[in-house]
Amino acid sequence: MQLGVRDVSKLLNVSEKTIYRWISQGVLPAYRVNEQYRFNRAELLEWATARKMNVAAEVFDEPESSAAPIAGLAESLQAGGIFYRLGGTDKESVLRAVVEHMRLPEEVDREFLLRVLLAREALQSTGIGDGIAIPHVRNPIVLHVARPMITLCFLEKPVEFGALDGKPVHVLFSLVSPTVRAHLRLLSRLSFALHDPAFKKAITQQASRDEILEAARRVEANLERAPLDRKNRTR
């Protein structure tokens, strides 16, 4: 779905004048179509996430025509696994440890996957700040898997990842999805969760698996409840 200036203004909780200023400054990615600006939802999500902006829950909604049942955040974390005290002293050794722990199909070439991840890190760091790294919207790992998986890895020692805030990374999320759409939807839920104080606290403090999964379920419930709350307010 392509968004207009008014849509983006509401989603980012800023004025339309601010949106136009960001466009003129070349800060906000936009496309000019029939003398009007249009925005890609996935790019907007990536842009807002990189800047740790609080955005309206609607940015995570899919158009009804593209909606399809997918695994929830907690279910995907259970499928991908939560791992503690991973070793590594730099990006390559850390990512190698992550790939080794990922629950991938036997036919997947892990060495090739590692090279892909390293190449993407060379283009743009996955570090979003506060010691956390998550995949980019436009760089999905799409494999022949039955359901999406999120692998959460806590490092034994923080490692420099070139994050925007300059802080070394000690938490890495990796996503594997059966389709690009599933990747986008799950990544959007993860981004939403990282704006939730309770979930983020569980992550930054390296809480137990059960505590992290419970926090993820609460976030998912809030996300599912948001459309109903908006509907009730408009009555």
Side-chain angles (χ1 to χ4, degrees), residues 63-78:
E64 290 186 12
S65 60
S66 65
I70 63 167
L73 184 61
E75 184 181 351
S76 298
L77 280 166
Q78 283 182 306

Side-chain angles (χ1 to χ4, degrees), residues 29 35 37 64 66 74 87 98 109 115 119 124 144 150 180 185 188 209:
E35 301 305 316
Y37 287 110
E64 290 186 12
S66 65
V98 170
D109 185 339
R115 292 199 299 271
Q124 183 180 4
H144 186 61
I150 299 177
V180 173
R185 294 186 66 186
S188 72
R209 291 180 177 87

